[in-house]
Amino acid sequence: MATATPTPPAETTAPSGTPLIELRHLADPLDRAFMRLAAEHGDKVSTLADYPEFARRFATKEADRG
């Protein structure tokens, strides 16, 4: 059975140190539309307050990191 030769990982940061995934967001027109949707219709966006159990688990995990 033949196996695939793994390819080296793609560069994960730009020379500036900014992760490439973040730089791609700047060039994605749908990303801007999505951000604008949340800004203009905040009443339609979920927050941690909408999911109290998730908020508790998230806070516990963040406390464990620090």
Side-chain angles (χ1 to χ4, degrees):
M1 174 184 215
T3 59
T5 303
T7 57
E11 186 180 342
T12 57
T13 59
S16 65
T18 304
L20 292 179
I21 191 74
E22 294 300 326
L23 294 174
R24 288 187 186 115
H25 281 296
L26 297 175
D28 182 357
L30 292 180
D31 194 59
R32 286 179 181 226
F34 185 75
M35 288 187 298
R36 192 173 59 249
L37 178 69
E40 293 173 358
H41 302 283
D43 58 319
K44 306 291 187 218
V45 179
S46 297
T47 67
L48 286 177
D50 297 325
Y51 303 94
E53 182 57 33
F54 178 79
R56 277 191 292 278
R57 282 190 272 148
F58 180 76
T60 301
K61 288 181 182 182
E62 287 299 305
D64 290 344
R65 286 184 188 181

